[in-house]
């Protein structure tokens, strides 16, 4: 019997997905990403050593785990090359276990230029990685895809039309500098080794693995409230970050997902602009940011902080069909006298809070539910009850072993 698990962030990203995927990858044969790009920043900490991954799936530290980038991603070749290079310098092996879908849409330097110049006007607070413009081209059926590197002459024709189009946007709409076609082409050609080494019809590979009964982890990037359809539009990313994105982004039907693990911090953070009902601006916000080291893993921007929003999470749990919850960064709440949780919104859409007594004890060494202070146990049980979903994992620190598994 296979045990394929989808792991998703339930908030605005940075819930600790990377840490949890790495911890669970031990017992699986493959970790596969299905959406997003190098806007993601997933932090792993093992034996005191920290690694931040942007594209490479968070199973890569386990030498026998296969890692896949599915068709649903938008792919920056220089970003991938840099990440692989750095990991190889730490003696991480990619041979015969890393696969990139030929159908990934490529992020070009012109996408990055458009994203950055446009965001100055629109103020979404994007990561500036070209994600939105690259997905636009995919949906408009004019993207250059990873598989197009197979034939350089055909690639040149396709790329020249696209770069010409991008340059018109840059010059005519934003009065910005165009990029030279030769430079864009050179960036692709100089990374041809990535194509030669890793290109794959990943949909066929996944079908084969699923039929073999391999245990697979599907790793979500970003978070559900950044979903293009279900998030806080327009302050969202441009991909389907919720469970629906998995089937389209890897070519694996929903029947092959055995469990869906939804990850939420014990509080809430957000990077970039957009609504955030439970955001705090007082000393509690400062304490969450300071103790939780709330700075973006991709852009280094400070993350906005606030209390947990169970009202919003209840909808998100439904949208994703979450079967189990994982609560991360519980230890960040250790010093608080009181903790608040949003359980509803009033008629003015202001949060209605339930107040909890804090525990003011160090939880970072807890390794079982029973090790946790009674007030922390009550907090977890309240989340479980309100969301009507069992909590299977609690994380009490950034390291792989600072993890509590609850049967
Ligand atoms: P991701 O994008 O969901 O993978 O999350 P990030 O890596 O961007 O951000 C999560 C941050 O919290 C990282 O710095 C992690 O090392 C850290 N982290 C993860 N889980 C815990 C936890 O339980 N406690 C603490 N204190 N830090 C954690
Ligand atoms: P991980 O996988 C947190 C946010 C950006 C911005 C919005 C749109 O580490 O959880 P984009 O560049 O995607 O067009 O930006 O989405 N955003 C993230 N916030 N974690 C992420 O990834 C994010 N990826 C994008 O800050 O508000
Ligand atoms: Mg992150």
């Amino acid at each position: 019997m296979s045990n394929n698990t989808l792991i998703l962030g339930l908030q605005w990203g940075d819930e600790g997905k990377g840490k949890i995927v790495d911890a669970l990858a031990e017992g699986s044969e493959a970790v596969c990403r299905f959406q997003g790009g190098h806007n993601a920043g997933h932090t792993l900490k093992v034996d005191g050593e920290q690694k931040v991954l942007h594209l490479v799936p968070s199973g890569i530290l386990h030498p026998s785990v296969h890692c896949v980038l599915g068709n649903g991603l938008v792919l920056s070749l220089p970003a991938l090359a840099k990440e692989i290079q750095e990991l190889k310098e730490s003696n991480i092996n990619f041979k015969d276990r890393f696969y990139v879908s030929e159908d990934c849409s490529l992020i070009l330097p012109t996408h990055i230029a458009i994203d950055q110049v446009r965001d100055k006007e629109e103020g979404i607070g994007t990561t500036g990685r070209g994600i939105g413009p690259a997905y636009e081209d995919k949906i408009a059926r004019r993207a250059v895809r990873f598989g197009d590197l197979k034939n350089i002459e055909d690639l040149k024709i396709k790329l020249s039309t696209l770069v010409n189009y991008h340059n018109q946007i840059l010059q005519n709409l934003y009065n910005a500098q165009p990029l030279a076609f030769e430079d864009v082409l050179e960036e692709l050609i100089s990374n041809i080794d990535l194509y030669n080494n890793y290109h794959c019809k990943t949909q066929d590979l996944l079908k084969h693995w699923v039929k073999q009964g391999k245990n697979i982890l599907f790793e979500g990037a970003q978070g559900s409230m950044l979903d293009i359809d279900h998030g806080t539009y327009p302050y969202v990313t441009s991909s389907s970050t919720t469970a629906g994105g998995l089937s389209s982004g890897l070519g694996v039907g929903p029947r092959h997902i055995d469990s869906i693990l939804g990850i939420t911090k014990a509080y809430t953070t957000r990077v970039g602009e957009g609504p955030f009902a439970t955001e705090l601006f007082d000393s509690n916000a400062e304490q969450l940011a300071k103790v939780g080291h709330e700075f973006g893993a991709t852009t280094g921007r400070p993350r906005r902080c606030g209390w947990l929003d169970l009202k919003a999470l209840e909808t998100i749990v439904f949208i994703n069909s979450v079967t189990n919850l994982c609560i991360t960064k519980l230890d960040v709440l250790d010093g608080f006298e009181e903790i608040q949780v949003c359980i509803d919104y009033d008629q003015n859409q202001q949060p209605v809070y339930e107040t909890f007594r804090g525990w003011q004890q160090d939880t970072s060494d807890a390794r079982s539910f029973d090790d946790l202070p009674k007030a922390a146990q009550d907090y977890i049980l309240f989340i479980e009850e309100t969301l009507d979903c069992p909590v299977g994992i609690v994380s009490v620190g950034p390291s792989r072993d600072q993890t509590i598994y609850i049967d």
Side-chain angles (χ1 to χ4, degrees):
M1 266 281 285
S2 69
N3 183 15
N4 299 332
T5 302
L6 167 57
I7 302 181
L8 290 166
L10 302 183
Q11 300 167 304
W12 284 293
D14 305 327
E15 297 88 349
K17 300 175 291 293
K19 175 206 153 151
I20 299 299
V21 170
D22 167 70
L24 296 180
E26 183 71 50
S28 65
E29 288 154 282
V31 178
C32 311
R33 270 196 52 186
F34 54 89
Q35 46 67 235
H38 65 310
N39 49 348
H42 300 164
T43 316
L44 283 48
K45 198 168 173 192
V46 184
D47 300 331
E49 215 185 302
Q50 181 171 293
K51 294 242 160 3
V52 180
L53 304 174
H54 299 285
L55 275 166
V56 173
S58 302
I60 200 74
L61 302 189
H62 300 269
S64 61
V65 170
H66 294 272
C67 288
V68 175
L69 300 183
N71 55 280
L73 275 90
V74 283
L75 181 66
S76 157
L77 296 185
L80 181 61
K82 182 166 178 274
E83 200 167 318
I84 292 176
Q85 179 60 31
E86 284 170 8
L87 290 164
K88 280 186 175 171
E89 282 164 14
S90 310
N91 291 324
I92 290 164
N93 181 27
F94 282 75
K95 197 166 168 6
D96 299 330
R97 68 172 186 122
F98 184 67
Y99 314 86
V100 181
S101 171
E102 294 168 354
D103 297 335
C104 281
S105 295
L106 294 184
I107 298 181
L108 306 174
T110 40
H111 288 128
I112 295 173
I114 293 171
D115 188 10
Q116 293 181 356
V117 74
R118 185 188 281 166
D119 201 52
K120 281 200 186 110
E121 283 188 8
E122 292 183 347
I124 302 290
T126 73
T127 59
R129 300 295 192 265
I131 305 293
Y135 273 117
E136 266 174 68
D137 283 347
K138 169 180 174 165
I139 301 300
R141 298 166 295 200
R142 57 175 173 252
V144 171
R145 308 208 293 179
F146 191 47
D148 290 326
L149 293 178
K150 186 177 175 193
N151 182 324
I152 299 298
E153 287 315 308
D154 290 350
L155 169 78
K156 279 183 189 164
I157 297 166
K158 214 171 163 183
L159 188 70
S160 130
T161 310
L162 189 57
V163 171
N164 185 26
Y165 171 70
H166 289 163
N167 279 336
Q168 284 184 44
I169 295 174
L170 284 168
Q171 287 175 287
N172 300 341
L173 291 184
Y174 298 105
N175 205 16
Q177 286 295 318
L179 275 76
F181 166 72
E182 293 72 25
D183 293 345
V184 179
L185 179 66
E186 175 54 27
E187 180 179 291
L188 299 188
I189 291 179
S190 65
N191 284 301
I192 198 79
D193 278 356
L194 290 176
Y195 176 80
N196 292 334
N197 292 335
Y198 306 118
H199 80 93
C200 176
K201 192 81 194 156
T202 54
Q203 293 94 327
D204 290 349
L205 184 68
L206 263 294
K207 184 169 80 174
H208 181 61
W209 284 349
V210 167
K211 291 197 168 183
Q212 277 184 323
K214 270 200 190 338
N215 287 338
I216 305 170
L217 291 184
F218 302 111
E219 178 182 19
Q222 288 76 54
S224 300
M225 301 198 207
L226 287 170
D227 184 275
I228 185 72
D229 286 283
H230 306 291
T232 45
Y233 192 89
Y235 297 96
V236 293
T237 190
S238 300
S239 66
S240 296
T241 61
T242 46
L246 161 60
S247 292
S248 58
L250 274 166
V252 174
R255 218 157 48 81
H256 303 298
I257 310 169
D258 302 297
S259 55
I260 302 179
L261 181 69
I263 307 188
T264 170
K265 286 184 190 181
Y267 50 98
T268 309
T269 63
R270 170 162 211 169
V271 204
E273 300 307 313
F276 181 173
T278 60
E279 184 168 14
L280 294 166
F281 301 95
D282 56 7
S283 59
N284 287 319
E286 277 169 33
Q287 190 170 337
L288 289 171
K290 190 162 170 243
V291 181
H293 303 291
E294 295 298 354
F295 293 91
T298 296
T299 55
R301 291 178 289 174
R303 296 176 184 146
R304 300 154 64 192
C305 296
W307 297 123
L308 191 65
D309 186 344
L310 290 182
K311 182 69 183 167
L313 282 176
E314 193 249 332
T315 305
I316 293 295
V317 164
F318 173 78
I319 290 172
N320 288 307
S321 286
V322 172
T323 57
N324 302 86
L325 290 165
C326 166
I327 299 171
T328 56
K329 303 193 94 161
L330 185 75
D331 55 297
V332 175
L333 297 181
D334 284 354
F336 284 83
E337 264 175 47
E338 279 189 347
I339 297 159
Q340 293 192 293
V341 185
C342 169
I343 49 163
D344 208 348
Y345 304 137
D346 66 16
Q347 61 271 40
N348 299 318
Q349 293 306 301
Q350 293 305 306
V352 176
Y353 287 110
E354 175 109 3
T355 302
F356 281 79
R357 195 166 48 85
W359 43 90
Q360 293 167 293
Q361 281 179 54
D362 183 358
T363 58
S364 63
D365 291 327
R367 293 295 177 271
S368 73
F369 188 73
D370 292 342
D371 289 344
L372 292 172
K374 171 82 172 51
Q377 293 183 358
D378 289 346
Y379 187 65
I380 290 164
L381 292 174
F382 182 77
I383 296 170
E384 184 169 91
E385 258 168 49
T386 311
L387 297 180
D388 193 21
C389 191
V391 174
I393 300 177
V394 178
S395 173
V396 291
S399 296
R400 189 188 276 173
D401 61 342
Q402 289 178 300
T403 313
I404 296 172
Y405 299 93
I406 304 170
D407 289 334

